[in-house]
């Protein structure tokens, strides 16, 4: 039995609480980060609050082993005087949408070897995808995640905007979006690239630019140049 | 029985030929676009060649009904003196990878109503996703496809590059990529957006920029600005 204390009431804390609650191997408690007067002890204390609150919250905790769930916050910046670690899930969580934790990659880090094994044991109860990722790697992984998630989603938004302006149902792009995501499981993104940029099809590029708003034109130009330069 | 003549030996022509060959309702012939001496007649003649060759190829054809498969070429630019149409598949095709045509959206256009119905009949043998898309809409849809496919794939490439540089397996980003693509089936891309840009988290943005190459920094800045401006 592993006892887990979850601090925070946001998206990640709530999803984790639900998942842990369903496992008989785990005894889980959840508290609000604003009510830190009587903090219960636990084998693992997970701080799941926004980045700018982690330092302050961790400063108030004396539990043996304290981890956070952030992609960009260094483990050593935790302010508890006890042992430290990281329990970062590389996934986007949506409020009110059930999370399939079995598909979530867990990025783990701990100062102490036994603590690492404990984190690994906890993660494995939810998912078989566990990675030892140190704070430097995690920082960069978080940037990569911004590109493949936030920026990709913005590409979808621009696609949606173009569809809306031209009375085309956005769902027409669904299969292409799926195939684009699926293709890179068997082909590197570099090899998967197609389209006017990589073909140096200047005629089509020119025609496309003529159809775009100033903002989207700038994005189109920059990404086309980047694809063509291979960087 | 619908007779189909496919002109071209590229990716699209080859995948279509294979799919049509498996259907008893269709009699299909495929010829090379460089051997247009003895062109067999057919109910539908499909020119599946690169954009810059469509005009020349169509100029040599006297068959009753001629369509092309391009996303950006206007129907009226076909040079045959007979009836014209478009049979555009909104999907990315990979050499040697089987296409599941049942998931491919077909964008159809024809000058003549009966021709349109014939195209629709043909498309429906492969997929239930058929759309009446005129040349103006198609041109813009093609631009949208560049954003959600080519540019999204470039986001994956940058993610892959960052992983490689930091000894992180790229597959760790797989579930996030999948969830990003899946989320917009139930949520608009605008509502699905998360991350430092939309949160106006200037601290994280600054930290991310410090980790990036000049090229990727430029992309990060422009896309962050675009997300924040809501355009």
């Amino acid at each position: 039995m592993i006892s887990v204390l979850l601090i925070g009431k946001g998206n990640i804390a709530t999803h984790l609480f639900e998942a842990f609650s369903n496992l008989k191997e785990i005894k889980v408690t959840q508290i609000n980060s604003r009510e830190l007067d009587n903090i219960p002890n636990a084998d693992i204390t997970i701080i799941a609050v926004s980045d700018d609150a982690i330092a302050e919250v961790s400063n108030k905790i004396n539990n043996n082993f304290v981890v956070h769930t952030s992609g960009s916050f260094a483990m050593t910046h935790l302010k508890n005087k006890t042992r430290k670690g990281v329990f970062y899930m590389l996934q986007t969580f949506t409020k009110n949408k059930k999370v399939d934790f079995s598909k979530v990659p867990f990025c783990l880090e701990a100062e102490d070897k036994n603590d690492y094994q404990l984190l690994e044991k906890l993660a494995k109860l939810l998912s078989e995808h566990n990675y030892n990722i140190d704070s430097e790697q995690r920082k960069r992984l978080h940037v990569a995640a911004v590109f493949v998630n936030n920026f990709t989603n913005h590409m979808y938004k621009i696609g949606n905007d173009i569809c809306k302006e031209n009375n085309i149902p956005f769902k027409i792009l669904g299969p292409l979006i799926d195939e684009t995501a699926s293709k890179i499981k068997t082909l590197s993104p570099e090899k998967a690239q197609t389209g006017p940029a990589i073909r140096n099809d200047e005629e089509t590029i020119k025609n496309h630019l003529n159809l775009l708003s100033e903002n989207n034109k700038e994005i189109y130009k920059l990404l086309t140049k980047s694809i063509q330069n291979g960087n």
Side-chain angles (χ1 to χ4, degrees), chain A:
Chain A
M1 175 77 94
I2 306 173
S3 63
V4 174
L5 173 66
L6 268 167
I7 301 180
K9 291 279 185 181
N11 237 335
I12 292 183
T14 307
H15 281 301
L16 267 184
F17 179 75
E18 208 178 291
F20 287 148
S21 299
N22 290 327
L23 293 167
K24 62 179 189 320
E25 296 90 345
I26 296 172
K27 179 176 164 282
V28 61
T29 315
Q30 185 180 18
I31 62 173
N32 197 309
S33 59
R34 278 169 226 134
E35 298 158 7
L36 297 178
D37 307 327
N38 258 321
I39 304 171
N41 209 339
D43 299 327
I44 306 175
T45 299
I46 301 178
I47 301 178
V49 301
S50 62
D51 284 14
D52 51 8
I54 296 174
E56 196 192 331
V57 169
S58 61
N59 195 35
K60 294 180 187 161
I61 301 173
N62 298 311
N63 289 359
N64 296 339
F65 179 40
V66 179
V67 304
H68 70 70
T69 58
S70 160
S72 44
F73 197 91
M75 176 173 70
T76 51
H77 291 175
L78 283 163
K79 297 270 188 230
N80 58 302
K81 292 176 183 67
T82 46
R83 285 156 12 232
K84 301 170 182 179
V86 179
F87 192 75
Y88 171 54
M89 287 148 279
L90 186 55
Q91 186 52 282
T92 171
F93 296 98
T94 312
K95 216 174 167 175
N96 301 325
K97 190 182 170 191
K98 214 177 145 57
V99 177
D100 180 358
F101 276 101
S102 73
K103 286 182 186 152
V104 173
F106 284 78
C107 304
L108 310 176
E109 185 181 7
E111 296 171 310
D112 178 272
K113 202 181 154 188
N114 290 331
D115 287 339
Y116 186 84
Q117 284 170 350
L118 184 63
L119 278 186
E120 201 175 33
K121 199 171 156 189
L122 182 68
K124 277 185 178 168
L125 290 169
L126 296 172
S127 163
E128 55 183 81
H129 307 291
N130 299 291
Y131 299 85
N132 185 354
I133 300 285
D134 67 31
S135 288
E136 279 304 310
Q137 287 176 311
R138 185 162 34 79
K139 249 178 11 189
R140 287 163 171 86
L141 189 54
H142 191 242
V143 183
V146 167
F147 278 89
V148 306
N149 173 12
N150 306 153
F151 293 166
T152 286
N153 185 72
H154 195 57
M155 299 300 114
Y156 300 161
K157 180 193 176 279
I158 294 172
N160 188 22
D161 289 345
I162 294 173
C163 283
K164 272 196 288 193
E165 284 156 22
N166 295 284
N167 297 313
I168 302 166
F170 178 53
K171 67 167 184 177
I172 199 173
L173 289 171
L176 182 60
I177 285 170
D178 286 343
E179 178 67 15
T180 307
S182 144
K183 211 168 170 174
I184 51 154
K185 280 172 191 160
T186 49
L187 226 55
S188 74
E190 201 165 345
K191 289 205 173 125
Q193 192 56 277
T194 60
I198 198 80
R199 274 202 319 269
N200 285 305
D201 181 348
E202 296 302 332
E203 182 71 15
T204 300
I205 291 168
K206 205 183 68 190
N207 291 336
H208 283 178
L209 288 172
N210 282 332
L211 297 169
L212 291 167
S213 69
E214 281 312 308
N215 170 69
N216 291 346
K217 198 178 287 192
E218 212 183 332
I219 293 173
Y220 190 106
K221 276 187 195 168
L222 184 62
L223 295 181
T224 293
K225 191 181 74 177
S226 178
I227 291 171
Q228 292 180 335
N229 291 344
N231 57 16

